[in-house]
Amino acid sequence: MVLPNMAKKKVVAADKTTEEKIKEAARTVFMKKGYAATRTRDIAEEAGLNLALLNYYFRSKEKLFEIVMMEKMQKLFGIIAPILNDNTTTLEKKAELAADTYIHMLSENPDLPIFVLSEIRNNPERFASKVQAGKLIQDSHFVKQIKEKRPDMNPLHFMTSFLALIVFPFIAKPVLQDAANLSPKAFNAMMEERKALIPLWFKALMKAK
Amino acid sequence: MVLPNMAKKKVVAADKTTEEKIKEAARTVFMKKGYAATRTRDIAEEAGLNLALLNYYFRSKEKLFEIVMMEKMQKLFGIIAPILNDNTTTLEKKAELAADTYIHMLSENPDLPIFVLSEIRNNPERFASKVQAGKLIQDSHFVKQIKEKRPDMNPLHFMTSFLALIVFPFIAKPVLQDAANLSPKAFNAMMEERKALIPLWFKALMKAK
DNA sequence: CAAAAAATTAATCATTTGATTAAATCTTTT
DNA sequence: AAAAGATTTAATCAAATGATTAATTTTTTG
């Protein structure tokens, strides 16, 4: 087999390369159905391309998935790192910025957390290790500030609760929408409200004894 | 095809019926791998039974899955209903009892939330509607008490946050354990601590303005 | 006990699925 | 413009998979 000539990939703004079309389709389909339920034919169809091109460009379904998965993990875990690691901001400010940034991103990618977390669960040995979350949870400036304010507690409790308040609504979205008869618009409106509420709650949480 | 004689199912305590063996194996395998990644052969092997028995007793993989899924949804959503609907307890007491009961159950079934929520996401039209969570979220005594204490806010915010604090750690378990270098024992110890912390936090959350 | 019914098994089917191949088309280089 | 190289296509393969069948064994019933 002749591998595709990557050097030629001078992307003309107008139309995407075949490789990129496949990746985009893969993102869409993997995201929607998960790895196991996705057929390579689904991806080819979504991309409007011949099935064989998938193997021509990416060798296998698994290799293609790994690329998509790494992107998604980066998106899910990478976005708050710079905020929580900023040495120049207060704890309160970090909570505000992180809630705002994260909820904004998740509103545009509501399926991201459930996708990543369930694929990690289906293959923990493969993916859990590649999560950069470790640094965040162990030696971020955010954690340092939590320790200072509450030296009596395991800071992981607060980190977990903070993320829970932000991320959980998106994971439970189908259930919440169904149970509360929420339109997608109403759901998004609530998430907007939480951008301001969560920092407030986090502060209250940190004080509570 | 002759359907199995259900009338004969007088379960002798000692050994389980074939039907129950299949169901148990199905619970185990579906739970571990999800619907799409599960092979009927995996279930038959897990049960130590001939593959054809699966179709003999349950007609199809999908029918068997539906039974397991309903059980799991009942377990996930059913357990707090009586607590949150008890007209005789205070809001604080409900928070205590619900946190304790739910964390206790989830510690023994840590994969339950991610399993149910991701299968609902893969088939929302089919399952989301069958969730009994609607009543809880709309007209439980718990929600009524929240409304009384905070008439200025959408009670769904507090309900969501309360559930988030309880359930999210189990959903994020693989990531948290990996990122914080937690042993399974240490994880469980933290969840034990949260039984007392969450009611405290919930109270603080309710007050925060 | 013997006939009938139920449960179990091994073998097989028809589809689906990830992947490959060889030929055809398009693009770049010489 | 010919040759070489890259990309795309239709056809096909082998393995996996959900399901069925027909025969066999076990259990229940009269």
Side-chain angles (χ1 to χ4, degrees), chain A residues 71-85 97-106 108-109 112 132 136 163 166-167:
Chain A
E71 275 184 22
K72 297 297 181 186
M73 283 174 57
Q74 175 56 34
K75 189 159 202 168
L76 185 61
F77 299 116
I79 193 168
I80 34 164
I83 295 171
L84 300 190
N85 264 323
L97 285 173
D100 187 274
T101 307
Y102 222 26
I103 288 175
H104 179 260
M105 184 274 283
L106 291 177
E108 286 172 347
N109 307 272
L112 186 58
Q132 323 87 313
L136 275 188
L163 293 176
I166 295 173
V167 177

Coordinates of all heavy atoms in Angstrom, one line a residue, chain A residues 71-85 97-106 108-109 112 132 136 163 166-167:
Chain A
E71 N -7.9 14.2 20.7 CA -8.4 15.6 20.5 C -9.5 15.9 21.5 O -9.4 17.0 22.1 CB -9.1 15.7 19.1 CG -8.2 16.0 17.9 CD -9.1 16.1 16.7 OE1 -10.3 16.4 16.9 OE2 -8.6 15.9 15.6
K72 N -10.4 15.0 21.7 CA -11.5 15.2 22.6 C -11.0 15.3 24.1 O -11.5 16.2 24.8 CB -12.6 14.1 22.5 CG -13.2 14.1 21.1 CD -14.0 15.3 20.8 CE -14.6 15.3 19.4 NZ -15.3 16.5 19.0
M73 N -10.1 14.5 24.4 CA -9.6 14.5 25.8 C -8.8 15.8 26.0 O -9.0 16.5 27.1 CB -8.6 13.3 26.0 CG -9.4 12.0 26.3 SD -8.3 10.6 26.4 CE -7.3 11.0 27.7
Q74 N -8.1 16.3 25.0 CA -7.4 17.5 25.1 C -8.4 18.7 25.3 O -8.2 19.5 26.2 CB -6.6 17.8 23.8 CG -5.9 19.1 23.8 CD -5.0 19.4 25.0 OE1 -4.4 18.5 25.5 NE2 -4.9 20.6 25.4
K75 N -9.5 18.6 24.6 CA -10.5 19.6 24.6 C -11.1 19.6 26.0 O -11.3 20.7 26.6 CB -11.6 19.4 23.6 CG -12.5 20.5 23.5 CD -13.2 20.5 22.1 CE -13.8 21.9 21.7 NZ -14.2 22.0 20.3
L76 N -11.4 18.5 26.5 CA -12.1 18.4 27.8 C -11.2 18.8 29.0 O -11.7 19.4 29.9 CB -12.7 16.9 28.0 CG -13.5 16.7 29.3 CD1 -14.8 17.6 29.2 CD2 -13.9 15.3 29.4
F77 N -10.0 18.3 29.0 CA -9.1 18.5 30.1 C -8.2 19.7 30.0 O -7.7 20.3 30.9 CB -8.3 17.3 30.4 CG -9.1 16.1 30.8 CD1 -9.1 15.0 30.0 CD2 -10.0 16.1 31.9 CE1 -9.9 13.9 30.3 CE2 -10.8 15.0 32.2 CZ -10.7 13.9 31.4
G78 N -7.9 20.1 28.7 CA -6.9 21.1 28.5 C -7.4 22.5 28.7 O -6.6 23.4 29.0
I79 N -8.7 22.7 28.6 CA -9.2 24.1 28.5 C -9.1 24.8 29.8 O -8.9 26.0 29.9 CB -10.6 24.1 28.0 CG1 -11.0 25.6 27.6 CG2 -11.6 23.5 29.0 CD1 -12.3 25.7 26.8
I80 N -9.2 24.1 31.0 CA -9.1 24.9 32.2 C -7.7 24.9 32.8 O -7.5 25.7 33.8 CB -10.0 24.3 33.3 CG1 -10.1 22.8 33.2 CG2 -11.4 25.0 33.3 CD1 -10.7 22.2 34.5
A81 N -6.8 24.1 32.3 CA -5.5 24.1 32.9 C -4.8 25.5 33.0 O -4.4 25.9 34.1 CB -4.6 23.2 32.0
P82 N -4.8 26.3 32.0 CA -4.2 27.6 32.1 C -4.8 28.5 33.1 O -4.2 29.3 33.8 CB -4.3 28.2 30.7 CG -5.3 27.3 30.0 CD -5.2 26.0 30.6
I83 N -6.2 28.3 33.2 CA -6.9 29.2 34.2 C -6.5 28.8 35.6 O -6.2 29.6 36.5 CB -8.4 29.0 34.0 CG1 -8.8 29.6 32.6 CG2 -9.2 29.7 35.1 CD1 -10.2 29.4 32.2
L84 N -6.6 27.5 35.9 CA -6.3 27.0 37.3 C -4.9 27.1 37.6 O -4.5 27.0 38.8 CB -6.8 25.6 37.4 CG -8.3 25.3 37.2 CD1 -8.7 23.9 37.6 CD2 -9.2 26.4 37.9
N85 N -4.0 27.3 36.7 CA -2.6 27.4 36.9 C -2.0 28.8 37.0 O -0.8 29.0 37.2 CB -1.8 26.6 35.9 CG -1.5 25.2 36.4 OD1 -1.2 25.0 37.6 ND2 -1.6 24.2 35.6
L97 N -13.6 32.5 36.3 CA -13.1 32.3 34.9 C -13.3 30.8 34.5 O -13.7 30.6 33.3 CB -11.6 32.6 34.8 CG -11.3 34.1 34.8 CD1 -9.8 34.3 34.9 CD2 -11.8 34.8 33.6
A98 N -13.0 29.9 35.3 CA -13.1 28.5 35.0 C -14.6 28.1 34.7 O -14.9 27.5 33.7 CB -12.6 27.6 36.1
A99 N -15.5 28.6 35.6 CA -16.9 28.3 35.3 C -17.4 28.9 34.0 O -18.0 28.2 33.2 CB -17.7 28.8 36.5
D100 N -17.0 30.1 33.8 CA -17.5 30.8 32.6 C -16.9 30.1 31.3 O -17.6 29.8 30.4 CB -17.0 32.2 32.6 CG -17.6 33.0 31.4 OD1 -16.9 33.0 30.4 OD2 -18.6 33.6 31.6
T101 N -15.6 29.9 31.3 CA -15.0 29.3 30.2 C -15.5 27.8 29.9 O -15.8 27.5 28.8 CB -13.4 29.2 30.4 OG1 -13.0 30.5 30.7 CG2 -12.7 28.7 29.1
Y102 N -15.5 27.1 31.0 CA -15.9 25.7 30.8 C -17.4 25.5 30.4 O -17.7 24.8 29.5 CB -15.7 25.0 32.1 CG -15.1 23.6 32.0 CD1 -14.3 23.3 30.9 CD2 -15.2 22.6 32.9 CE1 -13.7 22.0 30.7 CE2 -14.7 21.3 32.8 CZ -13.9 21.1 31.7 OH -13.3 19.8 31.6
I103 N -18.2 26.3 31.0 CA -19.7 26.2 30.6 C -19.9 26.7 29.2 O -20.7 26.1 28.5 CB -20.5 27.0 31.6 CG1 -20.6 26.2 33.0 CG2 -22.0 27.1 31.1 CD1 -21.3 26.9 34.1
H104 N -19.1 27.7 28.8 CA -19.2 28.2 27.5 C -18.8 27.1 26.5 O -19.5 26.8 25.5 CB -18.3 29.4 27.3 CG -18.3 29.9 25.9 ND1 -17.3 29.7 25.0 CD2 -19.2 30.7 25.2 CE1 -17.6 30.3 23.8 NE2 -18.8 30.9 24.0
M105 N -17.7 26.4 26.7 CA -17.2 25.4 25.8 C -18.2 24.2 25.9 O -18.6 23.6 24.8 CB -15.9 24.9 26.3 CG -15.2 23.9 25.4 SD -15.7 22.2 25.8 CE -14.7 21.9 27.2
L106 N -18.7 23.8 27.0 CA -19.6 22.6 27.1 C -21.0 22.9 26.5 O -21.6 22.0 26.0 CB -19.8 22.2 28.6 CG -18.5 21.6 29.2 CD1 -18.8 21.3 30.7 CD2 -18.1 20.3 28.5
E108 N -21.4 24.4 23.8 CA -21.2 24.1 22.4 C -20.8 22.6 22.1 O -20.8 22.2 21.0 CB -20.1 25.0 21.8 CG -20.6 26.5 21.7 CD -19.5 27.4 21.3 OE1 -18.3 27.1 21.4 OE2 -19.8 28.6 20.9
N109 N -20.4 21.9 23.2 CA -20.0 20.5 23.1 C -20.6 19.7 24.2 O -19.9 19.1 25.0 CB -18.5 20.4 23.1 CG -17.8 21.2 22.1 OD1 -17.6 20.8 20.9 ND2 -17.4 22.5 22.5
L112 N -19.5 16.1 25.0 CA -18.1 15.8 25.2 C -17.8 15.1 26.5 O -17.1 14.0 26.4 CB -17.3 17.2 25.2 CG -15.8 17.1 25.2 CD1 -15.2 16.2 24.1 CD2 -15.2 18.5 25.2
Q132 N -4.1 14.5 31.2 CA -3.2 15.4 31.9 C -3.8 16.0 33.2 O -3.2 16.8 33.8 CB -2.9 16.6 30.9 CG -2.8 16.3 29.5 CD -4.2 16.3 28.8 OE1 -5.1 15.7 29.3 NE2 -4.2 16.9 27.6
L136 N -3.2 19.1 37.2 CA -4.2 20.0 37.7 C -4.6 19.7 39.1 O -4.7 20.6 39.9 CB -5.5 19.9 36.8 CG -5.5 20.7 35.5 CD1 -6.9 20.7 34.9 CD2 -5.1 22.2 35.9
L163 N -15.8 20.8 39.9 CA -16.0 20.2 38.5 C -17.4 19.6 38.4 O -18.1 19.7 37.4 CB -15.0 19.1 38.2 CG -13.6 19.7 38.1 CD1 -12.6 18.5 37.9 CD2 -13.5 20.7 36.9
I166 N -20.1 22.1 37.5 CA -20.0 22.5 36.2 C -20.4 21.4 35.2 O -21.2 21.7 34.3 CB -18.5 23.0 35.8 CG1 -18.2 24.2 36.7 CG2 -18.4 23.3 34.4 CD1 -16.7 24.6 36.6
V167 N -19.8 20.3 35.3 CA -19.9 19.2 34.3 C -21.1 18.4 34.4 O -21.7 18.0 33.3 CB -18.6 18.3 34.3 CG1 -18.7 17.2 33.3 CG2 -17.4 19.2 34.1

